[in-house]
Structure formats: structure tokens, C-alpha cells
Amino acid sequence: MDWNSLKILALVAHKGSMSGAAKELGVNYTTVFRRMESLENEIGGKLFERGSKGYVATPLAEKMLVFANRMRDGAEQIERQIVGREFQPSGVVKITAPFNIANRYLPEALRPLAQDYPDITFEILSSNDDFNLNSRVADIAVRATSSPPDHLIGRKVASIPWAMFVAESFMERFAQPPTLETLADYPLIGASGSMLNLPAFTWLEKNHATAIVARCNELTAMSYCAESGHGIAFLPVDQRRSGLVELAEFAPGKTSDMWVLSHPDLKKTERIRIVVEQLVSYFRSLDF
């Protein structure tokens, strides 16, 4: 027996008319009439009587409606719990970001998604390494770069200036705040490794290398060196926090352009699209 015929039977009984059932289904009256006529021929009995208030189900139809309604309820439950879930965004999204961004910003950025899309889970990779998105080590990269790779797609979400940062106790040791011209008179925190390629530290090596008392290969480590009183750290202002005093903008650091990047092959993957849109919206809302 065709389920569609039972579905129409239930609708005719509910609406009290074949025209009402036809309208609900988006078909014409003749289609519904022929379906009911074919069903009556199949079971060998009459399904409806014409009454003053429309079509009234016969005792035979009433018995069939018990099963038809169960089938309808089951189909609706499948749609809600199984089919609907299949089309809900789900799965793991891997996001790589520099240490400070991953630790201080990503948890807050992703919080609304954890509420709205509970079937999306996150793997956060705190690193400055340029993970190969082609190999799916990460799905999304939040990176500070002036020239994102051509093979990735993305959007610039912020331009972050640099500043000089010191411990709260710094000015107790030095009567005057430093300027670019007087940096040689103060202990400085410099860079090592690949960090030396950044404009801030290229300038620092060229002009005040002899004043450097400590070196780090990562910005967050520099910030904690400054907080501990080792000297002046030169940092993008996303590193602002209690315990650090921001002295002045550091023009040689230029600005760090922050990008949210992903692989083109993933742009139609719904969970990736949702997370990218949230990250773009969140970072653009910040006042760096």
C-alpha cells in the first residue's frame, strides 16, 4: 500500500474536504480524488461519506487512520531527529592562531557558536607556525601577515599597531619615559629566530642592539619578560593586559594585519563557513 495514499487519506480526514487536502499538498482536486478512489478499490470499501460539514471518515477509514497517523508521526520524527540533524552543521573545526590570540581571544570569539551549534567542536592549535592548510592540519588560520598566501582565501579583520610595554615598577627605576631617541639608555627585550624578520626587531637590531638584555622567539614570552621587569618589550597592542604598562606607540613596528584564512576547497563546508564568519565578525568588532 502506497504511503502517499495514506498521507492523503489522513489529510482529507483532517481537512474535511478533498479540495482542502489538495491545497495543503499543492496538487489539484482531481489528483486527490483519484488517489482516494484508487485506495477504495484496493481495500474494497468506502472511506468517506459526504456530510453537512464535509467528508466524514467511515469506520473502515477510522481503522486505517490509526495506522496512517502513526506512520505520519514516525515520518515527522525521522525528519526532526535524523534528517534534520544530518543537515545541521557538525564536526570538528581546527583553528590555528598565535599564542596570545589563541589563549585570550579565541575562547570568547567561539563562545556564541558553542551555544548555537552544539554539534560543532573545536580544536585550537596555539602556534606561530605556518601550518599547511592543504594537508588539513588546520581548517582555519588566524595570522598576522602583510601578504597572506595566494593559495588561501581570507579576509583582513584588523590592523594592529605596536607599542612599548614595561612593568608597573619600571618608572620607579627610571625618571623619564623612553623615546625612540633615548632607547639606548634603557634595557630592551629583543627577538631571536624568525622574529628578527619583523619590522620592529629589524629596526631594533639596527639601532639599539647593544641595549638588548634578553631575547625571545615569541611575543607572549616577551610580554612576560617585560612584566617581570627585564626591560622594555615591543609588542602589538593585542598583548595589552593588567600587569603591563603601555608607554607609547612604537612606530618602527608598523602595524600587524590580522587575517582569517582558510583553504578554497572548504568554503562550501557549512561548519567552516559558520566559524569563519563568526571569527571575522568578532575580530572586526574589537578596538585594538
Side-chain angles (χ1 to χ4, degrees):
M1 185 175 293
D2 188 352
W3 155 240
N4 286 322
S5 294
L6 292 176
K7 183 178 180 180
I8 293 173
L9 170 68
L11 273 173
V12 173
H14 176 68
K15 295 291 186 180
S17 70
M18 292 193 185
S19 59
K23 184 177 180 181
E24 179 78 11
L25 292 168
V27 299
N28 57 43
Y29 172 88
T30 304
T31 298
V32 173
F33 179 83
R34 288 177 177 170
R35 280 279 191 163
M36 289 299 92
E37 187 177 50
S38 175
L39 187 57
E40 286 180 336
N41 292 335
E42 184 177 352
I43 65 173
K46 195 170 181 63
L47 294 173
F48 293 100
E49 300 284 355
R50 290 291 298 267
S52 59
K53 295 184 179 180
Y55 283 83
V56 179
T58 65
L60 177 60
E62 291 285 359
K63 291 180 180 180
M64 294 182 65
L65 283 168
V66 172
F67 298 103
N69 289 332
R70 287 178 185 172
M71 292 176 69
R72 179 200 62 205
D73 293 342
E76 289 176 352
Q77 190 172 14
I78 289 173
E79 185 172 357
R80 288 194 307 271
Q81 297 189 10
I82 299 176
V83 177
R85 179 176 292 271
E86 178 68 21
F87 290 98
Q88 286 295 314
S90 63
V92 178
V93 177
K94 299 177 183 179
I95 309 167
T96 176
F99 293 101
N100 188 56
I101 298 298
N103 296 339
R104 295 182 56 201
Y105 295 94
L106 281 189
E108 182 63 22
L110 298 173
R111 183 175 56 82
L113 298 183
Q115 297 172 351
D116 296 340
Y117 300 97
D119 291 333
I120 297 178
T121 57
F122 305 101
E123 184 175 334
I124 297 175
L125 307 171
S126 301
S127 176
N128 291 320
D129 294 339
D130 289 329
F131 286 133
N132 185 354
L133 299 192
N134 289 327
S135 64
R136 296 296 305 279
V137 174
D139 302 310
I140 299 169
V142 180
R143 284 289 178 263
T145 177
S146 58
S147 55
D150 292 336
H151 66 279
L152 301 179
I153 58 173
R155 280 173 278 179
K156 188 172 79 170
V157 294
S159 290
I160 305 173
W162 285 57
M164 295 186 284
F165 291 87
V166 296
E168 294 177 349
S169 60
F170 184 87
M171 295 314 300
E172 297 174 6
R173 295 169 53 195
F174 299 95
Q176 298 295 326
T179 65
L180 289 181
E181 292 74 22
T182 62
L183 280 180
D185 299 330
Y186 299 86
L188 309 180
I189 299 169
S192 62
S194 62
M195 297 292 291
L196 289 168
N197 296 321
L198 295 180
F201 303 113
T202 300
W203 183 90
L204 203 62
E205 291 295 324
K206 179 180 179 181
N207 293 279
H208 298 293
T210 56
I212 294 173
V213 298
R215 294 180 182 275
C216 303
N217 68 347
E218 194 273 320
L219 295 171
T220 304
M222 293 178 189
S223 74
Y224 280 98
C225 276
E227 186 176 345
S228 296
H230 288 274
I232 303 171
F234 306 89
L235 303 166
V237 299
D238 63 273
Q239 294 277 350
R240 289 181 181 126
R241 66 170 189 271
S242 61
L244 281 178
V245 177
E246 184 177 343
L247 295 179
E249 184 174 335
F250 184 58
K254 300 184 178 180
T255 60
S256 295
D257 292 338
M258 183 187 292
W259 290 75
V260 175
L261 304 165
S262 61
H263 195 279
D265 291 348
L266 297 176
K267 67 180 180 180
K268 293 184 179 179
T269 302
E270 186 66 2
R271 69 180 184 278
I272 305 299
R273 186 194 66 79
I274 288 171
V275 176
V276 166
E277 290 298 328
Q278 171 62 19
L279 293 178
V280 169
S281 175
Y282 172 79
F283 284 114
R284 285 182 173 172
S285 72
L286 299 180
D287 184 19
F288 287 113

